[in-house]
Amino acid sequence: MPTSATSSRSSRARLAGALLAFSLFAAGCSGGESPAPEDPPAASDDGGSASDGGSASDGGSAASDRGGQTEAAIPVEAYPVTPAPDGFEPPAACNGEGTYLAEVGTAATPELPERAGESVTIELTAIEGDDAQLTAAVGDGEPRPVEDITLGETVTIDLWTIAVTSVCSDTEQVEFDLID
């Protein structure tokens, strides 16, 4: 039976092989004398391509600081929500209970406590019916969406677990408690 270390090395070797194969494919290693595919437009200093005059801010193609290479967009996964326990009887949606309060477009107050030297910022972006739409940013990281969440449901954001205690669409406020 293979050990964990052997399995880990085997997985890394397969990953390295797949990355090598992809990079050779992407580099157009044809080995022949056929002409290379048409090059993409060169990037200008403003982040857009030189041929279209665009920039990242006006919808042109964005370029990174790595020699004009464009950066691929990586989809951001939402933090998953844990449903309320079976038999949970939700209180009134707009009950005003909860230690932390967030209004649409603002971060939760008071600030959540730091953990392991990091902070978390939770912001309410919208309320749709009984569901709150939140984002969470750990430290200086980019905000990440939280799956739609409602009364009694919880979400774990790295070292913090919160439970929604009030969703008030009339005043566009959400309240929650820190439970972990």
Side-chain angles (χ1 to χ4, degrees):
M1 181 169 167
T3 66
S4 174
T6 305
S7 175
S8 178
R9 278 195 301 266
S10 166
S11 296
R12 282 186 267 161
R14 282 191 299 252
L15 177 61
L19 289 173
L20 177 63
F22 178 74
S23 65
L24 291 175
F25 174 75
C29 265
S30 62
E33 309 243 8
S34 60
E38 184 177 319
D39 288 339
S44 66
D45 290 336
D46 69 354
S49 67
S51 64
D52 69 2
S55 70
S57 63
D58 69 5
S61 60
S64 70
D65 290 340
R66 291 180 269 150
Q69 296 175 345
T70 57
E71 205 168 301
I74 299 172
V76 178
E77 284 190 43
Y79 288 105
V81 168
T82 302
D86 288 339
F88 174 74
E89 292 291 328
C94 190
N95 60 35
E97 293 183 15
T99 305
Y100 300 91
L101 169 73
E103 297 178 309
V104 171
T106 66
T109 57
E111 292 181 6
L112 279 81
E114 284 191 8
R115 300 227 168 129
E118 289 288 347
S119 62
V120 64
T121 303
I122 298 174
E123 184 175 316
L124 175 63
T125 58
I127 294 177
E128 299 267 338
D130 293 337
D131 294 327
Q133 297 172 352
L134 305 171
T135 61
V138 176
D140 293 331
E142 290 294 317
R144 228 172 103 183
V146 172
E147 291 177 349
D148 287 359
I149 190 166
T150 194
L151 289 167
E153 295 181 333
T154 61
V155 60
T156 299
I157 302 161
D158 291 346
L159 300 174
W160 299 264
T161 299
I162 64 168
V164 172
T165 57
S166 177
V167 177
C168 191
S169 59
D170 294 342
T171 58
E172 296 187 320
Q173 296 176 333
V174 168
E175 293 184 60
F176 58 91
D177 287 328
L178 182 63
I179 60 170
D180 184 24

